[in-house]
Amino acid sequence: MRPLARQVLALVGILLVTFAVAGISGASTSGAVRSWYPTIAKPTWNPPDWVFGPTWTVLYAMMAVAAWLVWRQTGWGTALALFGIQLALNAAWSPLFFGLHRIDLALADIVLLWVAIVATTVAFWKVTPVAGGLFVPYLAWVSFATVLNFTIWRMNR
Amino acid sequence: MRPLARQVLALVGILLVTFAVAGISGASTSGAVRSWYPTIAKPTWNPPDWVFGPTWTVLYAMMAVAAWLVWRQTGWGTALALFGIQLALNAAWSPLFFGLHRIDLALADIVLLWVAIVATTVAFWKVTPVAGGLFVPYLAWVSFATVLNFTIWRMNR
């Protein structure tokens, strides 16, 4: 276990980086949800818009907590490098989909993201199972989002 | 330590409640920041508006993590009852200040909030020092906010 002040600072740092990604996603989503997104074809089982904000807020917080638990056990290492890769792929999705309207590139991105989340979940689980467990709802949500992105891509070709 | 699924669910629950309070604060702040708040007297050392959102987002996440660490050690008990009290007092502040423009009632509320945060920090520290440590930035920020609220109250009597 690490000194108390460093533990607090590490959580602050991880939260700032993770919520910065949440902010990028939120900023590239907000305009598009009101203009472009309602005009494209979507499946009937597409969730209502208001579901996404609260869901992502909780998922971003949970992934930050998972990363912090891993940092407490091992410091910065391979598992947290995988975390950084999945976070970067996560950050890219909203700008691709909502910003550039590139449903195809967003699909490629989210498939890579899904793989990176699986790898991070396994690596976190090996460090401490609860950190892996905190990634499971995120993995489930991105699995659903990948199917949704694929369906929207097929419907709008 | 508790079963993994319950640990994940407990964090989800604590995050949902805490971010619901963040949502209440955000909702009652947003309109007022654009209309009423710029018209009242404020000290020169009042931080710019954009500082408050990111700061509160990180502080809410940290208090949720602290509550979850305490729950992992002791389950629901006195320390988390204190957490609930401070969260309720926190939820009341923005509606009083920004919603009702009652700087005086907001000041009374934030003084009680400050006392409740001190009590929660001590109770959390006794359960696990890192949970108390995660409350220290929150206590520091609310100490500053109390002085700011007091100053604004004096300047606008």
Side-chain angles (χ1 to χ4, degrees), chain B residues 32-104:
Chain B
V33 163
R34 270 175 248 131
S35 56
W36 170 72
Y37 192 60
T39 68
I40 62 172
K42 285 179 293 297
T44 51
W45 45 270
N46 188 49
D49 290 347
W50 64 265
V51 169
F52 291 90
T55 302
W56 274 113
T57 303
V58 171
L59 291 176
Y60 279 120
M62 289 173 76
M63 77 175 83
V65 174
W68 180 67
L69 293 175
V70 167
W71 174 85
R72 293 216 295 169
Q73 296 289 328
T74 66
W76 307 109
T78 313
L80 288 171
L82 286 169
F83 178 84
I85 291 169
Q86 70 79 25
L87 193 62
L89 289 164
N90 181 305
W93 189 85
S94 279
L96 290 172
F97 189 90
F98 289 113
L100 301 177
H101 304 172
R102 287 298 300 265
I103 302 170
D104 52 348

Side-chain angles (χ1 to χ4, degrees), chain A residues 4-15:
Chain A
L4 193 61
R6 284 196 60 200
Q7 290 198 49
V8 172
L9 281 176
L11 183 59
V12 171
I14 292 168
L15 284 169

